[in-house]
Amino acid sequence: MTSMRLQRMPLAPPRVAFALRVLSVVLAILTAALVLWGSGHNPLALGAKVISSTFGSSFGLEDLSLLFSPLIYCGLSVAVALRIGAWNIGAEGQFNFGALCATGVALFVSGPVWVILPLMGVAGMIGGALWILVPTLARAYADVSELITTLLMNFVAMLLVYWLATGPWLDPSGMALATTSRLPVSVPAFWGIVHWGLPIAILIAIALSLFVTYTRWGYEVRIAGANPGAARYAGMPVRTQLIGIMLLSGALAGLGGMMEVAGTVGRLQGGISNNYGYIGIMVAVLARAAPIGVLATAFFMAVLLNGGIVLQSQGLTTHTVLAVTGLILLYAAIGDEAAHYKILRTKAKDG
Amino acid sequence: MISTKSLSRRGFLNMGVAAGAGYLLPKTGLISPAHAATPLAPVAEEDAHIAFGHTGPTSDEGWTWAHDQGMKAVEAAFPKLRTSYVESIPYSADATRIFRQFVADDANMVFATSNYGDFLYDVANRAPDVAFYECDGRSPLENLGTFYLSHWYPSYVAGIAAGAMSPSGKLGYVASFPVPSVYSGTNAFLMGARSVNPEATLQAIVINSWFDPQAATQAGTALIDNGCDVLFGIMDEAGYLQVAEERGAKAVMWNTDLRRYGPNAYISSIIVDFKDFYVEQVRRRLAGEWTPTQDLLPFGNGVDVDAWGESVPAEVAAKADAVKASILDGSFNPFVGELKDTKGNVKVAKGATMSEQELYHWNWSIEGVSGLDS
Amino acid sequence: MRDSASVQQRLGLTPGTPPILSLKSVSKYFPGVIANESVDLDVYPGEIHALLGENGAGKSTLMNIVTGIYKMDAGELIVDGRRRDFSSPTDAIEAGIGMVHQHFKLVRAFTVAENIHLGWPETPKRISRNSLETRTAQLATDLGLAVNPKAVVADLSTGEQQRVEILRVLARDAKLLILDEPTAVLTPQEARELFTALRAFTARGNAVIFISHKLEEVLEISDRITVLRNGEKVATEWTKDCTEKSLAQLMVGREIVLTETHKKSAIRVKAAPVLSLSDVSLKGEQDTVLKNISFDLYPGEILGIAGVAGNGQRELTYVISGLSQPSSGKIVLDGEDVTRAGARALAQKGIGHIPEDRLHSGMAPTLSITDNAVLREYGAPPLSRKGWFSPRGAANLAREIASIAEVMVPDFNMPARNLSGGNQQRLVARREMRIAERILIAAYPSRGLDVGAINTMMRYFLELRDSGVAVVLISEELEELLSFSDRIAVMFHGEIMGTCPTDKADAETIGLMMGGTRQEDLP
Ligand SMILES: Nc1ncnc2c1ncn2[C@@H]1O[C@H](COP(=O)(O)OP(=O)(O)OP(=O)(O)O)[C@@H](O)[C@H]1O
Ligand SMILES: [Mg+2]
């Protein structure tokens, strides 16, 4: 008699992990198809529609790219903070505030584009960093958990954006509601309406991943993130690192906000962050906080969200779409965990 | 139901000519092409695809529900065409993605039932063969028209009842955003109230959403806590009516008859109806007549006050009804100066009448309104 | 193998009594490592069964299988005559098997009473703090383990924490208690108390499996001894038939030569001190943990620090290595004031530090062995140049350190926590010796090491000393101090009671000073 048993391994073999992720996504899609079929839709036609609408036209690919880009910025933001053991739940707020600061530059500073745009990028990053500053200092000096503080800052940023966009910075022309006027400069597009925010995000992800592996600072961050006690023991400036990394985390989200306002949307308005900051948490966790992994999971997430939009236009309710995307994510997470298990076959002599 | 013919006869307000130019004409006129541009080519009914993008869920029993009724009327009038809709579209780049998806799905005509600004404009700009309509829109294009309601008249009439029924003279308003539709709604409502109680004031709370029952409920509670005894608002659902019912206050609603949620509190509602407008526009699109218009559905035809609630005293109702009649027959216009803003500056001179254009773009609060001007 | 009838008789059991626990051909493989291979083991009611073996021999792994933390790859586990297959420690505890681990698993922020009741099915759903504490006190008296139910675990000494762990296990009606190196962290006094409690426990018909590297202790407490080597069982012997020497031989597989009493250091002639502490005090959260410590440390000597754990030894190592900065006083290294230099600067100036608590301060257990091995040298060439870090250089260095530390590593990317406890200690010790050009601070360096490894390490300490490095050796083993140090200082309540050359010291005077008598007051 052969019996099978499962054993949890501390590390998942990369190949198994990858295979299981793919498998779980496939299974999730099959389950989703069953659900759709059960509710009277034709899953094959819907699937074909999602694929052709997402990958089959330059429209779809452009949309996908514009969704991909902010998810990378926010995913990286959360991932970087996770590296040092901090949960940045506030990427949403930093994104908003970064967009706000960049807009301030665009609206009130005049100069040639090649000066204003970089200045907006810097303003976005400083804004994002500023928005995480208080939670950072509270964590570094008073050991106040950044979980709540970063989250609370989100609401403040959101309200600030609403207030500015409908009040002091409201488009004076009367041609647009609840938003600032169109920014006089924009991030140039390189393909259709896809702007340089995307390639820059990819470059940053690659740079961060090299940074983690190939710089001394990267090594120190790794140690400090895994065990601050050990970092202190080795004489690493743990507090400075924590502050530096958390500010970098905020800056990344803030830059994402700048790219969104100056590249994709063109105006500052409430809701511009579109939950990217929260989805970024999922992106980072699925990527196990690895910057290159963020590229993969952000892309996955972008396809998923874009697929959701296509499904909505095919008459599925938002609830069904949420259920389907949720299902796929859940399966992906289960597959991820399952990769840690090994199936053991043991010959048992009964008697 | 009014026939298309009677609709044309009674006339929509035609709001303008060339894009961007001063585009509001006086309050008369038939539907007429707003552009010199050639109409879009006709479409066979069985090939047509009409798409609707909504800000809230069609189940909201309010704004989106009313637009959804419009879509159903289109389906009934043109049974062979295809319709599709997406609910709860956020005001973010996701809106662009959804409108573009409509275009990718070969929609011939797209109705956005809320102001999506550039998110819609950018899509329309790149899809010249598709007709677009934006509710409460401000930036027309050769293939992008706008439509809205002259809701300030019914708001004024409802305000008369509210003023008469508010012992404290403190009115509350649950606002979505500080945008013209909210300014004109609050101002008109307070002006109506002041016609019976010159001391009346109005306090607004902005909740940054058109559909957020929970926030609307909280705002309603806060307003009543602040001493307001009649609530008004521009919400897509019934949230603050229930608060008013529980707390013994009164309320004026928007969109549909909601008295079942608060029979004692219910005064009236600004009733909206897009059915005729939608059917007519789709007809023009199919027939190859369509060029963009900028329409304001007039008082009494597309927007109206609902039948008065149980608790409205007969003499109050009679008084308000008389004013309504005089507005409808043109003998009375409530929007005549002198009007001052909250800082006391005279914004409309004594005796001057506000044009429909000014009413549509109203972006300041009159004296007595608080909570909107920053 | 002896026939079991005689085992039961010699244990005073009726013939035919089944073992509480029986392992048959148990094997466990990790990638690249055979942790256990066909291990057989029987444990009978009433016995204390010791498990011995070199570092990495597979002791902890075998016990983790018994308690359901790991699944075996082959073999059988029989408890009370029934074939069992635990899928979690909860299963094991239900079957009456409980384990106290090499590293405690208590929730430090909770009280003793809360820890005892945590995750225990018998804890009532609603219960007041008071009744939790009464229940705990009752359990403690019943089982003969004194604890204070109200105390917060983080405030307890290691010995007390261990008692809580044991109580936690016994409260769940364990019939078999497994202790993984329980005495490594105990003072001799605490170890005594533990043994008394264990004897009382087995007298009630229960059994204990006891893992230790301290042979004299094993000989004292156990009834039988099983020895593992490279994952395989070599023998199960009656303790009465064993000697330290025979056991050591069984473990290593050949005769081991223990270093003879060493030559004393080539006494410093006119050397200046490498390190001087004058009047160093350190304030803790509530009270002063170091009081007016002054001493000189000379190149080429081993300074032993004796004292009951918790009398300021840890704080002293922190102050010398720069992890803590003294509240007052002055520290001079080779003529340079380093009172506020910080840990990194001091490490660069050649001070190595084998910390007391390797898992929490000396390593990052979740990171790779490579990352851990290079913790001291990552910042300088060849590992780092101008801010760039060379993973390849790191891998090379890690391999070098592992090979001199005699740690077999199948995969350097594996998290360091997968190493056996002793191998972690070996790695840290070697890493620190490499950078100790002037001073090596070694806090309880032999904790968790097997006899051979202790011997090797001490030999290296002597070599370091002879090459002119000063070694500060903190230990609770008086014997170790007496045989390796040149001078011995005794700490009590954060103060140094006195310092004397080893050849003038004897166990008795040191014992008196450890109890708080100052050297000048000695009879
Ligand atoms: N989770 C794991 N993954 C990979 N290897 C492991 C794991 N756990 C233990 N090992 C390896 O198995 C072997 C046996 O380890 P174990 O911890 O059982 O030794 P031990 O006898 O308890 O040693 P020590 O006396 O040092 O505590 C070691 O080589 C160790 O590195
Ligand atoms: Mg072990």
Side-chain angles (χ1 to χ4, degrees):
Chain A
M1 199 182 91
T2 316
S3 68
M4 302 218 298
R5 297 189 297 195
L6 289 175
Q7 153 134 31
R8 194 180 197 287
M9 311 292 287
L11 272 185
R15 236 178 260 151
V16 177
F18 182 75
L20 272 170
R21 274 192 176 189
V22 172
L23 182 72
S24 59
V25 170
V26 169
L27 281 178
I29 290 172
L30 285 181
T31 321
L34 264 175
V35 172
L36 291 177
W37 182 67
S39 61
H41 297 272
N42 177 351
L44 272 182
L46 283 178
K49 185 87 213 169
V50 166
I51 290 174
S52 69
S53 294
T54 312
F55 300 105
S57 70
S58 58
F59 261 21
L61 287 173
E62 284 172 20
D63 276 349
L64 191 65
S65 311
L66 289 183
L67 201 50
F68 186 23
S69 165
L71 291 180
I72 302 177
Y73 286 107
C74 291
L76 287 178
S77 163
V78 179
V80 158
L82 273 180
R83 286 259 154 190
I84 199 132
W87 281 96
N88 180 9
I89 310 296
E92 182 85 1
Q94 294 134 28
F95 189 94
N96 268 313
F97 198 69
L100 187 155
C101 292
T103 304
V105 170
L107 292 181
F108 302 109
V109 182
S110 50
V113 180
W114 56 270
V115 174
I116 296 298
L117 265 184
L119 205 62
M120 286 170 71
V122 171
M125 291 199 281
I126 292 179
L130 217 59
W131 213 244
I132 202 177
L133 184 66
V134 171
T136 301
L137 296 181
R139 157 85 193 257
Y141 290 96
D143 213 18
V144 175
S145 161
E146 72 287 352
L147 236 104
I148 309 281
T149 47
T150 50
L151 178 67
L152 289 179
M153 298 290 285
N154 287 349
F155 302 112
V156 184
M158 187 190 77
L159 290 176
L160 262 178
V161 169
Y162 269 123
W163 176 67
L164 282 175
T166 58
W169 292 3
L170 176 68
D171 184 351
S173 75
M175 305 283 282
L177 300 183
T179 156
T180 65
S181 41
R182 207 170 237 290
L183 305 190
V185 292
S186 61
V187 180
F190 65 93
W191 176 63
I193 52 169
V194 182
H195 54 83
W196 279 93
L198 177 62
I200 292 175
I202 295 175
L203 283 181
I204 292 177
I206 295 172
L208 280 175
S209 136
L210 293 178
F211 162 87
V212 170
T213 324
Y214 292 104
T215 67
R216 193 166 68 195
W217 212 44
Y219 173 82
E220 293 184 346
V221 166
R222 202 157 44 190
I223 297 284
N227 183 1
R232 234 168 271 130
Y233 159 86
M236 297 173 189
V238 177
R239 181 177 287 164
T240 322
Q241 282 171 346
L242 178 77
I243 294 176
I245 290 290
M246 283 182 74
L247 294 185
L248 173 67
S249 165
L252 285 168
L255 183 61
M258 174 269 172
M259 293 294 181
E260 187 74 3
V261 76
T264 306
V265 174
R267 301 168 184 264
L268 181 70
Q269 58 189 77
I272 190 168
S273 52
N274 206 18
N275 291 333
Y276 294 134
Y278 296 115
I279 302 170
I281 300 172
M282 226 159 351
V283 167
V285 170
L286 279 180
R288 303 255 147 134
I292 292 292
V294 163
L295 288 183
T297 52
F299 183 75
F300 171 70
M301 208 59 125
V303 172
L304 209 59
L305 293 176
N306 203 50
I309 282 170
V310 177
L311 287 181
Q312 281 186 52
S313 74
Q314 299 306 302
L316 270 70
T317 63
T318 26
H319 299 290
T320 319
V321 170
L322 271 181
V324 169
T325 31
L327 201 67
I328 295 184
L329 277 177
L330 179 73
Y331 272 59
I334 292 176
D336 220 44
E337 177 63 19
H340 285 248
Y341 287 82
K342 197 165 88 179
I343 299 173
L344 305 170
R345 283 192 185 75
T346 34
K347 282 244 187 295
K349 326 150 237 173
D350 259 28
Chain B
M1 199 179 130
I2 320 150
S3 74
T4 322
K5 235 167 101 197
S6 77
L7 181 76
S8 323
R9 195 174 56 243
R10 294 181 67 174
F12 283 161
L13 176 84
N14 186 300
M15 287 173 54
V17 204
Y23 41 76
L24 284 170
L25 289 180
K27 184 196 162 188
T28 47
L30 303 175
I31 298 173
S32 64
H35 278 258
T38 39
L40 293 182
V43 187
E45 186 181 331
E46 52 273 21
D47 298 334
H49 174 198
I50 313 292
F52 291 78
H54 298 302
T55 176
T58 54
S59 57
D60 66 359
E61 301 184 83
W63 180 257
T64 301
W65 179 85
H67 285 282
D68 197 45
Q69 294 301 305
M71 184 182 89
K72 295 201 165 109
V74 168
E75 288 167 347
F78 308 101
K80 283 185 277 191
L81 57 67
R82 174 159 83 94
T83 59
S84 64
Y85 69 93
V86 172
E87 311 172 299
S88 304
I89 304 177
Y91 297 89
S92 71
D94 272 1
T96 308
R97 289 184 252 280
I98 287 167
F99 294 126
R100 284 231 268 162
Q101 189 58 40
F102 285 149
V103 172
D105 278 343
D106 304 319
N108 306 103
M109 190 168 203
V110 174
F111 291 98
T113 64
S114 179
N115 178 306
Y116 281 95
D118 287 356
F119 298 125
L120 183 69
Y121 187 93
D122 291 347
V123 177
N125 210 5
R126 298 177 81 200
D129 300 334
V130 183
F132 288 86
Y133 258 120
E134 182 181 22
C135 192
D136 198 12
R138 315 262 150 179
S139 311
L141 267 175
E142 303 221 345
N143 60 333
L144 169 60
T146 66
F147 66 107
Y148 202 51
L149 317 149
S150 25
H151 61 89
W152 31 88
Y153 299 110
S155 297
Y156 180 88
V157 173
I160 297 172
M165 293 173 69
S166 166
S168 71
K170 284 170 128 180
L171 312 176
Y173 190 95
V174 182
S176 51
F177 301 93
V179 293
S181 54
V182 167
Y183 282 109
S184 54
T186 48
N187 291 342
F189 190 67
L190 182 61
M191 286 166 78
R194 284 193 164 175
S195 71
V196 291
N197 174 5
E199 301 302 311
T201 56
L202 182 145
Q203 183 192 0
I205 291 184
V206 173
I207 67 165
N208 292 323
S209 173
W210 297 99
F211 181 80
D212 186 343
Q214 194 189 338
T217 304
Q218 281 170 0
T221 306
L223 287 167
I224 292 179
D225 287 344
N226 277 358
C228 300
D229 47 16
V230 179
L231 300 184
F232 186 32
I234 186 158
M235 288 292 115
D236 295 353
E237 36 68 39
Y240 67 85
L241 175 59
Q242 284 155 318
V243 176
E245 180 79 8
E246 276 166 29
R247 301 281 301 267
K250 305 287 173 207
V252 177
M253 306 307 294
W254 250 86
N255 306 313
T256 55
D257 180 352
L258 293 166
R259 70 190 74 215
R260 63 192 174 286
Y261 290 106
N264 295 314
Y266 191 75
I267 294 179
S268 184
S269 180
I270 312 302
I271 298 286
V272 301
D273 180 353
F274 301 96
K275 296 197 270 298
D276 298 335
F277 173 73
Y278 282 155
V279 171
E280 168 64 7
Q281 296 307 326
V282 171
R283 185 197 63 74
R284 293 176 61 226
R285 178 70 185 90
L286 299 184
E289 294 171 9
W290 193 84
T291 50
T293 57
Q294 286 135 27
D295 285 307
L296 268 182
L297 277 57
F299 188 22
N301 192 354
V303 61
D304 208 335
V305 274
D306 191 17
W308 299 108
E310 280 171 18
S311 59
V312 180
E315 70 278 9
V316 172
K319 175 158 195 191
D321 284 338
V323 174
K324 173 179 168 182
S326 64
I327 293 176
L328 284 177
D329 67 19
S331 60
F332 172 62
N333 186 337
F335 303 105
V336 176
E338 185 187 63
L339 291 176
K340 289 184 187 159
D341 68 10
T342 50
K343 296 192 186 76
N345 307 316
V346 176
K347 300 285 275 196
V348 179
K350 196 163 181 103
T353 306
M354 288 181 80
S355 67
E356 292 292 288
Q357 181 181 3
E358 284 167 327
L359 289 164
Y360 183 54
H361 287 282
W362 211 340
N363 62 358
W364 48 273
S365 285
I366 60 166
E367 218 176 0
V369 174
S370 59
L372 289 179
D373 282 337
S374 39
Chain C
M1 218 171 89
R2 289 160 204 278
D3 70 327
S4 55
S6 78
V7 175
Q8 285 128 335
Q9 271 165 356
R10 287 184 68 176
L11 283 168
L13 302 167
T14 45
T17 310
I20 288 188
L21 171 75
S22 177
L23 301 181
K24 299 213 188 312
S25 298
V26 169
S27 300
K28 174 75 198 170
Y29 312 109
F30 291 113
V33 184
I34 300 173
N36 297 123
E37 175 79 55
S38 291
V39 177
D40 293 320
L41 177 70
D42 287 323
V43 179
Y44 287 95
E47 78 164 322
I48 296 182
H49 196 121
L51 198 54
L52 292 185
E54 286 183 287
N55 294 131
K59 306 178 293 292
S60 301
T61 306
L62 190 65
M63 291 304 110
N64 283 336
I65 291 173
V66 171
T67 50
I69 293 175
Y70 289 145
K71 291 275 186 189
M72 54 192 146
D73 292 330
E76 265 182 69
L77 171 66
I78 295 164
V79 179
D80 274 339
R82 279 178 56 205
R83 203 172 145 244
R84 298 302 296 255
D85 184 3
F86 301 134
S87 53
S88 75
T90 329
D91 285 3
I93 195 83
E94 257 165 46
I97 301 181
M99 176 158 172
V100 175
H101 289 268
Q102 223 162 342
H103 308 108
F104 298 155
K105 308 203 164 180
L106 298 173
V107 183
R108 294 173 57 83
F110 282 15
T111 65
V112 170
E114 286 162 341
N115 265 290
I116 300 276
H117 288 86
L118 202 66
W120 185 16
E122 279 180 38
T123 308
K125 286 268 173 302
R126 280 167 195 285
I127 184 166
S128 72
R129 170 174 295 267
N130 259 336
S131 38
L132 263 191
E133 282 164 6
T134 332
R135 281 169 64 102
T136 308
Q138 186 60 41
L139 276 171
T141 27
D142 287 356
L143 299 169
L145 288 160
V147 294
N148 171 9
K150 286 188 186 11
V152 173
V153 164
D155 298 340
L156 298 181
S157 77
T158 323
E160 288 168 319
Q161 288 186 24
Q162 188 183 57
R163 229 174 294 149
V164 178
E165 281 267 16
I166 295 175
L167 187 59
R168 201 180 129 81
V169 172
L170 296 193
R172 285 151 178 74
D173 283 332
K175 293 190 302 279
L176 173 61
L177 174 64
I178 301 172
L179 298 165
D180 196 350
E181 301 193 29
T183 54
V185 291
L186 297 188
T187 63
Q189 174 59 25
E190 285 170 330
R192 284 267 94 67
E193 291 168 12
L194 172 67
F195 292 166
T196 317
L198 292 185
R199 288 225 173 77
F201 177 67
T202 49
R204 297 196 290 270
N206 303 310
V208 170
I209 298 180
F210 185 89
I211 302 179
S212 175
H213 290 296
K214 299 182 185 172
L215 299 181
E216 77 272 27
E217 189 176 278
V218 164
L219 288 171
E220 177 192 332
I221 183 83
S222 67
D223 299 300
R224 294 195 300 156
I225 300 170
T226 292
V227 179
L228 295 183
R229 191 197 306 152
N230 294 331
E232 288 179 61
K233 178 171 120 170
V234 217
T236 298
E237 300 280 352
W238 286 95
T239 306
K240 292 193 188 67
D241 308 337
C242 299
T243 62
E244 284 191 35
K245 204 167 168 198
S246 74
L247 288 175
Q249 202 166 340
L250 276 175
M251 281 159 52
V252 190
R254 61 191 144 79
E255 194 159 349
I256 53 168
V257 196
L258 296 176
T259 312
E260 300 134 39
T261 20
H262 67 300
K263 306 180 293 289
K264 289 288 165 190
S265 81
I267 296 298
R268 48 189 192 275
V269 192
K270 38 187 179 297
V274 59
L275 185 80
S276 308
L277 273 69
S278 30
D279 248 356
V280 169
S281 295
L282 180 68
K283 286 203 181 59
E285 270 169 22
Q286 281 119 19
D287 47 3
T288 310
V289 283
L290 287 181
K291 274 177 240 151
N292 307 333
I293 303 262
S294 301
F295 65 80
D296 289 331
L297 183 65
Y298 292 90
E301 74 162 341
I302 295 183
L303 173 67
I305 309 263
V308 177
N311 273 289
Q313 292 94 325
R314 179 207 305 243
E315 289 75 13
L316 180 63
T317 64
Y318 279 19
V319 163
I320 305 179
S321 64
L323 270 173
S324 301
Q325 301 193 339
S327 338
S328 65
K330 194 168 160 192
I331 302 175
V332 176
L333 176 68
D334 269 341
E336 184 189 347
D337 186 340
V338 294
T339 317
R340 316 229 163 272
R344 169 170 300 189
L346 289 180
Q348 276 163 359
K349 289 180 199 297
I351 300 189
H353 176 200
I354 302 173
E356 170 180 343
D357 182 1
R358 61 174 176 256
L359 214 48
H360 291 116
S361 48
M363 301 182 88
T366 53
L367 293 186
S368 71
I369 293 172
T370 302
D371 279 347
N372 276 287
V374 304
L375 189 59
R376 284 302 194 183
E377 292 171 64
Y378 74 90
L383 293 201
S384 285
R385 286 198 176 85
K386 296 200 175 96
W388 293 102
F389 178 75
S390 155
R392 177 164 329 150
N396 288 339
L397 177 60
R399 229 170 287 133
E400 190 181 328
I401 292 179
S403 90
I404 46 174
E406 293 172 38
V407 176
M408 235 286 297
V409 179
D411 176 6
F412 280 84
N413 292 321
M414 163 175 102
R417 62 159 177 241
N418 287 1
L419 286 176
S420 82
N423 284 340
Q424 292 170 1
Q425 180 74 345
R426 292 182 186 201
L427 216 56
V428 172
R430 291 313 310 189
R431 185 185 74 197
E432 297 308 310
M433 286 186 224
R434 279 175 61 90
I435 64 155
E437 279 162 14
R438 286 170 163 167
I439 299 174
L440 176 68
I441 308 161
Y444 312 102
S446 49
R447 263 187 198 170
L449 292 187
D450 63 41
V451 192
I454 294 177
N455 201 250
T456 316
M457 189 177 64
M458 287 306 173
R459 210 174 59 235
Y460 277 116
F461 282 3
L462 295 180
E463 279 176 27
L464 276 181
R465 177 199 71 186
D466 291 342
S467 70
V469 173
V471 178
V472 178
L473 174 64
I474 298 177
S475 176
E476 272 164 347
E477 314 267 330
L478 218 42
E479 208 176 309
E480 193 171 275
L481 291 175
L482 285 169
S483 53
F484 290 101
S485 1
D486 300 300
R487 289 188 300 152
I488 297 183
V490 184
M491 287 193 79
F492 178 75
H493 283 188
E495 285 181 78
I496 289 186
M497 292 289 113
T499 311
C500 56
T502 310
D503 39 23
K504 302 231 175 62
D506 59 77
E508 196 184 333
T509 52
I510 292 183
L512 279 172
M513 289 198 278
M514 277 167 69
T517 316
R518 283 174 201 282
Q519 192 169 25
E520 51 271 28
D521 302 334
L522 281 174

